[in-house]
Amino acid sequence: EVRLVESGGGSVQAGGSLRLTCTASGFTFGDSDMGWFRQAPGNECNLVSIISSDGSTYYADSVKGRFTISQDNAKNTMYLQMNSLKPEDTAVYYCAADIMGLFDSVVCGTRANYWGQGTQVTVSS
């Protein structure tokens, strides 16, 4: 059974930093495209960042220069370092594995074969 577990969410003030972690079991990192989505209340899941199996990365314009995605294949873990956080970054953040394509937004739970349960990030002004 594949399981993705996110951690590292929390509440911070604007300008602060958080590092999200996604740990996988039953799945081998590096074999497919993986990434992070986020869902603000009332919205679909918006793509934040992807790291491909070849190590290339993609970032949404809204987070470019502030967020960094990385993975440690030996630990089956993916990270999202989030710096200079803004109130508009407030959302539930989901990690996803085996992402099928590049979409700005998706219905949460779709377009990737595996999803985590999500972790809340709240940024106050």
Side-chain angles (χ1 to χ4, degrees), residues 48-93:
V48 176
S49 181
I50 285 180
I51 184 164
S52 299
S53 55
D54 64 1
S56 59
T57 58
Y58 166 87
Y59 296 94
D61 287 342
S62 58
V63 306
K64 216 172 277 185
R66 300 187 298 121
F67 290 11
T68 303
I69 191 170
S70 61
Q71 65 185 34
D72 185 334
N73 291 346
K75 295 182 178 179
N76 254 19
T77 300
M78 179 175 63
Y79 306 97
L80 185 69
Q81 178 67 44
M82 305 186 295
N83 298 328
S84 303
L85 282 161
K86 304 175 181 180
E88 51 264 42
D89 294 319
T90 295
V92 176
Y93 284 70

Side-chain angles (χ1 to χ4, degrees), residues 32-45:
S32 68
D33 293 355
M34 305 198 48
W36 295 90
F37 290 83
R38 66 185 181 186
Q39 185 184 33
N43 291 350
E44 291 191 329
C45 272

Side-chain angles (χ1 to χ4, degrees), residues 2-26:
V2 174
R3 191 164 178 238
L4 303 178
V5 179
E6 302 97 336
S7 60
S11 297
V12 295
Q13 289 192 324
S17 298
L18 285 172
R19 187 175 81 156
L20 304 184
T21 299
C22 174
T23 302
S25 58

